[in-house]
Amino acid sequence: MGAHTVVLELLQIPYEKNSDVRMHELMRLAHQFLQMFCLGNSSNQVLLHKSLDLFLNPGLLEAQTAGAIFKDNVSLCNEVTERVIQHFVHCIETHGRCVQYLKFLQTVVKSESTYVRKCQDMVMAELVNVGEEVLLFYNDKTSFQTLVQLMRSERNRVDENSPLNYHINLVQLLACNTEGKNVYTEIKCHSLLPLDDIVRVVTHQDCLPEVKNAYINFLNHCYVDTEVEMKEIYTSNHMWTLFENFLVDMALVCNATHDRKHADTILENYVTLTVMNIITTFFNSPFSDQSTTVQTRQPVFVRLLQGAFRVSHCDWLSGNQKFGVETCIKTLSEIAKSRGIAIPVDLDSQVNLLFSQSNLVRKHTRFWLSAGKGKRESVFAVSKDYKSIIEGLQDIVLLLEDQLRPLVQAELSVLVDVLHRPDALFPPNTEARRNCESGGFICRLIKHTERLLEDKEEPLCIKVLQTIREMMTVDIDYGEKGEILRQHLLTRYYGKAHPRLKPGKAHVEKKTPAHSTDPGSVVLSRVALTLAQVQCHLDAQGASELVVDLINNNYSSKVFLEATELGIALLEGGNSTIQRSLYMRLTSDNNNPEKFFKVFFDRMQQAQAEIKATVSVNTADSLTGKKKDDDHKESPQKEKAKKEKANGAVISSEMKGELEEAAVETGKALAFVRRSHSSHEEDASAPHGLSVEDIMVDKIHQKDKDEKKMAPEIAMMQPILRFLQLLCENHNRDLQNHLRNQNNKTNYNLVCETLQFLDCICGSTTGGLGLLGLYINENNVGLINQTLQTLTEYCQGPCHENQNSIATHESNGIDIIIALILNDINPLGKQRMDLVLELKDNASKLLLAIMESRHDSENAERILFNMSPNQLVDVAKKAFYQDDEDEEDDDEVEDGASPKDVGHNIYILAHQLSQHNQYLAGLLKVRGVAETPGNMALEYYAKHTAQIEIVRQDRTMEQIVFPIPEICEYLTEETKTRMFLSAERDDQGSKVSAFFDQHDDMFAEMQWQKKLRASPALFWFSSHMSLWSSISFNFAVLINLIVAFFYPFNHNVQEIDPRLSGLVWTTLFVSLAIVITVPRPSGIRTFIASAILRLIFSVGLEPTLGLLGMLNVINKIVFVVSLMGNRGTFTKRLRHILADWEFIYNVAYLSVCLLGIFVHEFFYSLLLLDVVYREETLLNVIKSVTRNGRSIILTAVLAVILIYLFSIVGFVFFKDDFLVEVDLMGSIAPKDAVQAAAAAMTGTAGMLGASMAVNKGKGTEQCVDKSCGVNDTEKTIEDLATKPPSEEDEEDSKERSCDSLIMCIVTSLNEGLRNGGGIGDVLRKPSSKEPLFVARVVYDLLFFFIIIIIVLNLIFGVIIDTFADLRSEKQQKEEILKNTCFICGLERSAFDNKTVSFEDHIRSEHNMWHYLYFIVLVKVKDPTEFTGPESYVYGLVKERNLDWFPRMRAMSLAADDAEGEQNELRNLQVQLETTNRLVQILSQQLTELKDQMAEQRKQKQRIGLLNTPSLPAVMNHGPM
């Protein structure tokens, strides 16, 4: 309507200001209209601002209207000129100290809770210049009394233009000028209002709350919340004096009347807002941490906390007031905990209860619900209420979103399940089901996506793309409630037998890692397929085609981003099928095939242009790093306090939209909560989560991060580069080359463009290479890392063309990569060292990729040209010690690569470069004392770095340097020794085949040994297996010695000589002393022997033997447990355990020990056979029999057959000669039995026994009375007992042993083989007169020669020859181990007179364990992180192909041969050059000679021509 123009014209009408009362009232109404016209309306404020000059007149109405024009309008406040400020300050000076002028100045220095630094500086400068006419302070004693009188006389505080109100607003203006940490204004204000004056005014008993509020606000912004530390505020007692005054005011508001009509609201606001704010700010200040006054003022501190807690229980608190009080309480409680201040237990528990989540939500909700019940008296009050409601609803929404997010995600995930199995929605054997089973639904959905874009349905298209991408998402844990909801919804869709896994089963499968580290092998439990299978299924339905089409058409940035993300999901894990599909589509697209690459090229160009246009670096940023750090360290309470000050805005359309949106979201969330509560009453308790304050603080921080985010054009590069990286994943050579050259009329080199983008984002294009760290920050470091990873994937494989493109590019890309490694990237390094380490790690990998598998030195020399070797080695060393510092800091936990790993990669880079730089090679060698800091790092890196040589597909050899995986440290020395000694050579003389066959077992042992370290006791027992084995054998020997010497045992304990007992005790104690002081095996054995002797003499043989047996059993049990722990038997199946011969042997050993204890002592004798198992020599003796056992058995069978034939002949012809002498059991009576029989016959057995006893006792032969007769009888009986048998008795002692054929065979085997002369030694001696005498002789001789001499010696010969072969094989094996390379099979002689010795060759070039470590590396490493050689070896290892091992080859020998050939060629070249020079000299001489001859010929011709006329005269005068 243009009403403001009419009013503005009205203001320009002149009138008599002193007498025209009605016109004055009209002007007042006009100004009031204009003030309401622009209230909260920025557009109307701009309209009135154009006529600002109308209000630059002396007058209070003009000042009020001018204030309304600038109120809460930051843009207009920033346009305030110095002339406007000077006008209103001059008005104060000339027209009196009016509050309206000060309020205008307050309006322009702070707008929308934001300070305007420009206006602050101008206002402060003008106030200082005008002097005391404007700056009315009551500093001296006289003026202070005036201020006291003003405060006493104006208790009612009614007069707005009183000097007291002017003074209050002046102090508030100064506080506004210092707000925002303005150093300039702070310094000016310090001199205007010193700290002493502030304390004196505030602590005065007559001070009004308005005065206190103004002074404390000024104190907060000028002395506490400052940029520069004010030591006076933290070292003096002024603040603690104020704190005591605060306690008085807190008590006043707590004990005030409950009648709100008579409440002192100004005092309440002062206490709950201003006082609480300064307490919070003071204790949260970083400068207060250095102050020790808190410990000395603990009583006051505790009273402050108690007072604040009392205030928090006042029922009249508003939302802002309660927030300020609770923030103060939280700050004080945190300070008390950090400073160790003792707080009463009841107070501490009450404070903790206050901040419980349920109380906060209930109390805030009660306030928000009651906020709408009060009466709104003005538009401004209404706006404040709406603002509070909006903030309250937002808090509820944030809290409910955080708690209900898993349920919402679980509900949305069901759609993905339906897309995986849409066929299950339809009945079996229907056409719809058959179409869905063949993939028709997904195929149509993918085809429909592009049609959505044609129909301008971009949001729906994006939603479809996101859903398809979620089909390839790894399973998410939705929690117990989320899984229940999923199962419920799936049951509704599919019925009870829905084709999905149960939650528990899915959870188990997710927790069970697969043996493969391939990302594509991850199983998606919701569809029971691997990720690669799902990707291939979508590709078959046209997903890859969709990605290419969407990127080619380039509809919009959002669609392009979603298409790229879908392509990333399809290629995740380096799916070669998807890569092949994309490559075939890109190469077969006859219609503008380069369009796909042009889109990416243009996006990269746009990103670079955006970087150059927007990214700027100020070197002052490095100076303000501390300030930023302090800002980051601000407490959450301070952040919330600042946010609370933002109230007071008028309702706008945007605010109404937020209110409506918050109300809708809250209604949905509360309805969902009610439903969830009704169905799950048992879970009604509040879940553990973030509090409302924490969520709000996170939101504030997130908002700050959002403000610092990169431009969309730059942020778009991250998915683009990730997509390009995945295109080249697994070293796809075709796509690597295609990204560089499309073989079209217009080629788009994305490889070089990616390098150019790295150059641009790191700032080198602006000449800032020296200030690299200022261009890299926390927001773009992820993009730089992605760029480095993409460039690395371009080169690996290797792709030599891409390597050359990057190394020889004209940009500063290589220099940037080198600078990332060598330079300290600050200030990012001071805040996030983990990000800097990741940068260095990726940069070093990129340089290694540029040099990968190259036989020339061009790229290495290009890198070395701009790299300092000393600096490179220093960076690696620094990273090593950075890891030690991080380990000492227990509180700091970093993710990603550790500093030591990054340093290791840089060391490997230096190692590769050292092959082309002798100085760098010298720096990497450990010199001097190994314990020095630098040498310790180099020694660690060298120890954990290995190198091998492999054979490529083209039969060229390549050297690989790699870090040894950590798990390889767990391979035991016993396993290494056993593998080294037991591996057998193959036909080519190499042991690689046997070595490779055992690598799975050795890798399994590494994994088990790593687990074993988690059990220290079991590991200690397992690491001393040899000790337990030796102890068991020694116990077996001791036990058998006791059994052999003392069996059968005497059950009585015999007393021994005291001297012998003393000797045993002395030996026992001396050996014990030796064992304690010098623990040696000899002393231990002496002590054990002494202890056993002492036990034998003390407790007897059987108890001692039982004790030793029990000790042996215990020791063997320990040994078996150690063996099981060392071999990982606990984790093996029973079939594998029974196949372990060593385990079965030791269990049998233990069983024999138990039999010796519980059955009989003779079982201990079997334990001595363990010596065969322990000694290799005895094993060879056994092998000499068992190795050719078949030959021996066959020979023995032949001997049995021959004996069988001889038995038949003997049975037929010499049956009567088989008379074998035998000793019958009862044929000869014992001597004692004969004597007893004789005594019985004579009836004098008793007397005979007594006489014999007496005679034996006395040793005499005297005859007393009838004793001689008895002796004669005894003699007669003895003669009978000792009389030799007669011939008849001898004949009775022989028996026939060939009456049956079986007896004949048994006799021939038994007697014929055991007698040296054969069977003839036991047969009857025939007479020569017998008719079969000759036949007997022939029979005996044939048996002797055939059986005894030939057959038995054949068996002995086989055994002896086998033993000799074993010994020669052992010697040959030792010779091979000593003089032959384990890997390549080359002998020591091949390295004679070569640059590399045989020892260096087997230690460095072809170290067998390095090859094992490399196999382990490709097993544990992520396949997507493989280098080219690692991918090549990984594929061959999976196929169990050994072609990559060098056989009878070594690079050092090839280099020497090549060097020898080069020397010969060089010598031939020198000789050829010498010959050429000689030929040139001869040619030159010949030419000169020809010239001379020609010259002489010419001279002769000239001479001949001159002498021609005189020739006749000469001839005529000749005869004379």
Side-chain angles (χ1 to χ4, degrees), residues 988-1003:
Q988 298 182 359
S990 174
K991 300 182 179 181
V992 168
S993 299
F995 176 67
F996 185 78
D997 291 339
Q998 296 294 323
H999 82 273
D1000 287 326
D1001 295 335
M1002 289 187 284
F1003 179 54

Side-chain angles (χ1 to χ4, degrees), residues 450-468:
E450 281 195 87
R451 296 181 184 176
L452 291 174
L453 288 176
E454 295 174 358
D455 297 338
K456 307 298 182 182
E457 295 287 347
E458 182 176 311
L460 185 57
C461 175
I462 292 174
K463 184 63 179 176
V464 173
L465 292 174
Q466 291 174 348
T467 305
I468 296 174

Side-chain angles (χ1 to χ4, degrees), residues 1483-1494:
S1483 299
Q1484 185 178 0
Q1485 291 177 353
L1486 182 60
T1487 303
E1488 293 176 355
L1489 182 61
K1490 288 181 179 180
D1491 294 341
Q1492 291 178 2
M1493 293 295 294

Side-chain angles (χ1 to χ4, degrees), residues 1236-1255:
M1241 290 187 295
T1242 59
T1244 58
M1247 296 177 61
L1248 178 61
S1251 175
M1252 289 175 64
V1254 171
N1255 291 334

